[in-house]
Amino acid sequence: MQVLFASSSENPGSTGLGVIPYPITKFSTTDPSTPSGRKSVPHMGWNRSWRAWTPPVEGDSKLWRDEDDYYFVHSYAAIVPPGTQVDSAAGEYVYTLGRYGSETFMSSVRRGNVFGTQFHPEKSGPAGLDLLRRWLEASPSELSSAPTTPTPPFRYTDPSPVKREGTGLTSRIVACLDVRSNDHGDLVVTKGDQYDVREKSDDRGVRNLGKPVELAQRYYTDGADEICFLNITSFRSSALLDQPMLEVVRNAAETVFVPLTIGGGIKDTTDPDGTRRSALEVAGAYFRSGADKVSIGSEAVIAVEEMLAREKNGEPALSGTTGIETISTGYGSQAVVVSIDPKRVYVDTTSPDWIEQVDPAHRPCLVIGDEATSRTAPEEKGKAWWYQCTISGGRAVRDIDVVQLAQGVERLGAGEVLLNSIDRDGTGKGFDLDLIRLVRGAVGIPVVASSGAGSAGDFVEVFRETGVEAGLAAGIFHRKEVGIDEVKEGVQKGGLAVRRCDLDV
Ligand code: 1PR
């Protein structure tokens, strides 16, 4: 959509096609309409788009849906200051509006038979598909004519009828599929607890909870806002040529019209014939197969460790060569998620100088049980702990804490954090609110809370108490203990906005 416009502050020296004579500018991270006075950029997630021109433009009504949630992911937009009149160049174009915090922007435009959407209709579930159908089915005469009535300039109506609290984004519910080969060589969705995915019975086989593409389709139908596939054994071998996850993504993308994230093995690799593949090439193969974001785990830890070491030596922090940097430069920061696998490290608080046991570098990451949330179990009261990062699916610990890692990956260019907890994974005890609050407060990019969900109430709690943008679960969905719609209903009753979708449109 943005190339249709006159210019963009993303690339000040270049002009756009000028089909829509209006400038593109970047969202602000400070925002008086949110409780914290800040908002995450990119604007990522489901938000409203509505027809707002007054008076109505004849003939255009059936080309747009009145008002619906669509999937947005962008940092720049055609921002329209409130109350301004946008002269639509002699009535030659019309637009719909969206709102991100206190900023209102054009969410889609039409000029003749040229349409542009700031959101992704192909990733916006049934509402997006319906919009595409309306445009494809419009007659040439409906499209060739400029919307000549009424006489410009159009003034957009007050967006308050659709105003939601805060940023306007819905609280996203993400379904996660941990994928690996079982002992018979079949690719299965598995799920364990605290990262142990083998049965507790004597044979210790890999738990098989279903087929990846079939489960993804079920979650799409059930209303998941996003689906995440994690190749959890990618640390063993991840040659691009024999990467079965490419086919999983390709098949899922044919019928699942919400954003797909793929994680595991996004790193520099070597094919069996010796061909070297950069992380950027690996990510590119996934994007071309239908993934919208890639998620980087172990390599992100190594990249931040190296960045901090360079900084300590007085060298420039950014090398420009890490996967996070090359992929975010090539595809945009919104396409790069970093998946963090932290573990609690308890500190013995019985001696008066107990704080000395904690490396000063990790003290900003320290949580003391007394100050913790209502969720802190009675046995945790009085204890203290910090969160240490791991690699290779929790198999190795590193001397880096979760705040250092989250802030480090943001500096490298990551657009989102997927925050797991090895302690809570698969336990159903609820999200680790202390951990999530810590990370949410440390970065300006969106955070997906993961691990430990056992009920709809856990989602309400994590959204309300930490302000995260998304909540993810695996086990409760796979075992059909709690449905996605049940979670959404609970979150809605808890006073938060969610996308409810009607697959019959
Ligand atoms: O290091 O870049 O190759 O990525 C590997 C990826 O695989 C990482 O994102 C890492 O989190 C993931 N992973 C590795 N081993 C495991 C394992 O379980 N043995 N799974 C694993 C991580 C955590 C979540 C899980 C939530 C929600 N699984 O994905 O879905 O904890 O679970 P719940 O709702 O049932 O509590 P790299």
Short mmCIF file of all heavy atoms in Angstrom, two decimals, residues 26-29 39-43 74-76 100 333 410 415 444-446:
data_model
loop_
_atom_site.label_atom_id
_atom_site.label_comp_id
_atom_site.label_asym_id
_atom_site.label_seq_id
_atom_site.Cartn_x
_atom_site.Cartn_y
_atom_site.Cartn_z
N LYS A 26 6.23 7.52 10.40
CA LYS A 26 6.37 6.42 11.36
C LYS A 26 5.52 6.66 12.61
O LYS A 26 5.35 7.81 13.05
CB LYS A 26 7.85 6.30 11.77
CG LYS A 26 8.14 5.01 12.50
CD LYS A 26 9.64 4.78 12.70
CE LYS A 26 9.84 3.39 13.33
NZ LYS A 26 11.21 3.05 13.54
N PHE A 27 5.00 5.55 13.16
CA PHE A 27 4.27 5.65 14.43
C PHE A 27 5.21 6.12 15.53
O PHE A 27 6.41 5.82 15.51
CB PHE A 27 3.72 4.28 14.84
CG PHE A 27 2.48 3.86 14.11
CD1 PHE A 27 2.44 2.64 13.45
CD2 PHE A 27 1.35 4.66 14.11
CE1 PHE A 27 1.29 2.23 12.78
CE2 PHE A 27 0.20 4.27 13.44
CZ PHE A 27 0.18 3.06 12.78
N SER A 28 4.62 6.76 16.52
CA SER A 28 5.40 7.22 17.66
C SER A 28 5.34 6.15 18.76
O SER A 28 4.31 5.51 18.97
CB SER A 28 4.78 8.52 18.17
OG SER A 28 5.36 8.86 19.39
N THR A 29 6.46 5.98 19.48
CA THR A 29 6.44 5.00 20.58
C THR A 29 5.92 5.65 21.87
O THR A 29 5.61 4.94 22.82
CB THR A 29 7.85 4.43 20.86
OG1 THR A 29 8.74 5.53 21.01
CG2 THR A 29 8.31 3.54 19.75
N LYS A 39 3.81 2.91 23.50
CA LYS A 39 3.24 1.80 22.76
C LYS A 39 4.34 1.14 21.93
O LYS A 39 5.34 1.79 21.59
CB LYS A 39 2.06 2.24 21.89
CG LYS A 39 2.38 3.14 20.73
CD LYS A 39 1.12 3.36 19.89
CE LYS A 39 1.41 4.12 18.61
NZ LYS A 39 1.02 5.51 18.59
N SER A 40 4.14 -0.16 21.66
CA SER A 40 5.14 -0.91 20.90
C SER A 40 5.06 -0.53 19.43
O SER A 40 3.98 -0.38 18.89
CB SER A 40 4.90 -2.41 21.02
OG SER A 40 4.88 -2.82 22.35
N VAL A 41 6.20 -0.41 18.81
CA VAL A 41 6.26 -0.25 17.35
C VAL A 41 7.23 -1.33 16.87
O VAL A 41 8.33 -1.42 17.43
CB VAL A 41 6.78 1.16 16.98
CG1 VAL A 41 6.97 1.29 15.47
CG2 VAL A 41 5.80 2.23 17.47
N PRO A 42 6.89 -2.21 15.92
CA PRO A 42 5.75 -2.19 15.00
C PRO A 42 4.37 -2.33 15.69
O PRO A 42 4.27 -2.87 16.78
CB PRO A 42 5.99 -3.41 14.11
CG PRO A 42 7.22 -4.08 14.57
CD PRO A 42 7.77 -3.37 15.71
N HIS A 43 3.37 -1.82 14.96
CA HIS A 43 1.97 -2.04 15.29
C HIS A 43 1.69 -3.45 14.76
O HIS A 43 1.63 -3.64 13.55
CB HIS A 43 1.13 -0.98 14.56
CG HIS A 43 -0.35 -1.23 14.55
ND1 HIS A 43 -1.12 -1.03 13.44
CD2 HIS A 43 -1.20 -1.62 15.52
CE1 HIS A 43 -2.38 -1.29 13.72
NE2 HIS A 43 -2.46 -1.64 14.98
N HIS A 74 3.14 -3.34 10.87
CA HIS A 74 3.85 -2.23 10.20
C HIS A 74 4.29 -1.19 11.21
O HIS A 74 3.72 -1.08 12.29
CB HIS A 74 2.94 -1.57 9.15
CG HIS A 74 1.67 -0.99 9.73
ND1 HIS A 74 1.28 0.31 9.53
CD2 HIS A 74 0.72 -1.52 10.52
CE1 HIS A 74 0.14 0.54 10.16
NE2 HIS A 74 -0.23 -0.55 10.77
N SER A 75 5.30 -0.44 10.83
CA SER A 75 5.79 0.65 11.69
C SER A 75 5.45 2.00 11.09
O SER A 75 5.47 3.02 11.79
CB SER A 75 7.31 0.55 11.84
OG SER A 75 7.67 -0.68 12.42
N TYR A 76 5.19 2.03 9.78
CA TYR A 76 4.89 3.28 9.07
C TYR A 76 3.45 3.25 8.59
O TYR A 76 2.89 2.18 8.36
CB TYR A 76 5.82 3.45 7.86
CG TYR A 76 7.28 3.61 8.26
CD1 TYR A 76 8.05 2.51 8.59
CD2 TYR A 76 7.86 4.89 8.31
CE1 TYR A 76 9.38 2.65 8.98
CE2 TYR A 76 9.19 5.03 8.69
CZ TYR A 76 9.94 3.92 9.01
OH TYR A 76 11.25 4.07 9.39
N TYR A 100 -4.22 3.39 16.06
CA TYR A 100 -3.25 2.72 16.92
C TYR A 100 -2.91 3.70 18.04
O TYR A 100 -2.26 4.72 17.82
CB TYR A 100 -2.00 2.33 16.13
CG TYR A 100 -1.02 1.53 16.95
CD1 TYR A 100 -1.46 0.60 17.90
CD2 TYR A 100 0.36 1.66 16.77
CE1 TYR A 100 -0.57 -0.14 18.66
CE2 TYR A 100 1.26 0.91 17.52
CZ TYR A 100 0.78 0.02 18.46
OH TYR A 100 1.67 -0.72 19.21
N SER A 333 11.77 -5.77 10.81
CA SER A 333 11.90 -6.31 12.18
C SER A 333 10.68 -7.12 12.59
O SER A 333 10.77 -8.04 13.39
CB SER A 333 12.13 -5.18 13.17
OG SER A 333 11.00 -4.33 13.19
N GLU A 410 16.40 -6.76 21.08
CA GLU A 410 15.71 -5.57 20.58
C GLU A 410 16.72 -4.65 19.88
O GLU A 410 16.44 -4.11 18.80
CB GLU A 410 15.03 -4.83 21.74
CG GLU A 410 14.22 -3.63 21.27
CD GLU A 410 13.46 -2.94 22.39
OE1 GLU A 410 13.85 -3.05 23.57
OE2 GLU A 410 12.46 -2.26 22.07
N GLY A 415 11.69 -7.98 16.31
CA GLY A 415 10.43 -7.25 16.37
C GLY A 415 9.46 -7.78 17.40
O GLY A 415 8.41 -7.17 17.65
N GLY A 444 10.58 -2.46 24.34
CA GLY A 444 9.50 -1.70 23.70
C GLY A 444 8.84 -2.46 22.56
O GLY A 444 7.98 -1.93 21.88
N ILE A 445 9.27 -3.70 22.31
CA ILE A 445 8.66 -4.51 21.24
C ILE A 445 7.60 -5.43 21.86
O ILE A 445 7.64 -5.69 23.06
CB ILE A 445 9.72 -5.34 20.47
CG1 ILE A 445 10.62 -6.12 21.44
CG2 ILE A 445 10.56 -4.44 19.59
CD1 ILE A 445 11.67 -6.99 20.76
N PRO A 446 6.65 -5.93 21.05
CA PRO A 446 5.61 -6.79 21.61
C PRO A 446 6.17 -8.06 22.26
O PRO A 446 7.20 -8.57 21.83
CB PRO A 446 4.75 -7.16 20.39
CG PRO A 446 5.07 -6.13 19.35
CD PRO A 446 6.47 -5.68 19.61
#
